[in-house]
Amino acid sequence: MTTRSASPTDPTSPATEKDSPDGEPLYVLRSVERTFTKGGVSVHALRGIDLTLWAGEMVALEGPSGSGKSTLLQLLGALDLPTAGSIRFAGRELENASDRVLTRIRSEEIGFVFQHFNLIPTLTAQENVWIAMVPASTPHQAQVARAAELLDQVGLGHRVHHLPSRLSGGEQQRVAIARALANRPKVVIADEPTGNLDSKTGLEVIELLAELRDTAGVTVILATHDEEIGRRAERRVRLHDGRLVEDRAVTKARA
Ligand SMILES: Nc1ncnc2c1ncn2[C@@H]1O[C@H](COP(=O)(O)OP(=O)(O)O)[C@@H](O)[C@H]1O
Ligand SMILES: [Mg+2]
């Protein structure tokens, strides 16, 4: 029994309602294909993916380099559209959505975390988080306060005024995670979030994502080719040559 299971009868769990198997899934992918064509050459990055993901899940997308993980995350993040098949996200078909709607979904409903952190080097930790909220209509002071609060939540309350160059890799990734959560997204999509970190720091970042999944009730989807990282998720989806070859729930042995 893990402390992370969100029982539908546990009123203290923020993920309870979202976890309901009776509700609509967060994502429904049907026969999704993504083919890149350049100079007459076609690369079939995804070759027919059927996948249903539920709100509140923590999913590891695994598979060797070139198997299609990043391509799939781009589609889940509404950054790219499939060349065939359909993707339903929170009740909407992404391939039918207008650019304006897709932009709004990306900025308000999805948080992104990258391997290389992608922080703005001239801004402090707090400013890096705050800037993600600028397009929103909330008052400036509230945004600044929320940035500080989020940094506190990721364990960086004492580093708010530091520039990225003064932070360790693990700390920079924590700032990026705080930034991803700024607009209270439904889902955080992380592409190899531990790829630039040593294994101990990487595991700490994964533990943080798992914790935020519990406290903020956010869905976490991360790509990794690190077996150890994959084991920390509760659902592991494996790709090979653009096909989904394995999808299993994990009984977690917590450290
Ligand atoms: N923009 C692109 N143009 C052409 N081919 C691409 C593009 N993006 C990815 N690919 C190809 O699609 C396949 C899957 O890539 P990717 O999704 O990046 O895999 P992974 O993240 O698992 O390493 C690879 O063969 C890659 O070269
Ligand atoms: Mg990749």
Side-chain angles (χ1 to χ4, degrees), residues 109-123:
E109 301 182 35
I110 300 172
F112 295 94
V113 175
F114 306 95
Q115 179 175 350
H116 298 283
F117 322 133
N118 296 16
L119 300 178
I120 297 173
T122 52
L123 300 184

Side-chain angles (χ1 to χ4, degrees), residues 69-70 191-192:
K69 303 183 296 296
S70 293
D191 197 351
E192 307 270 1

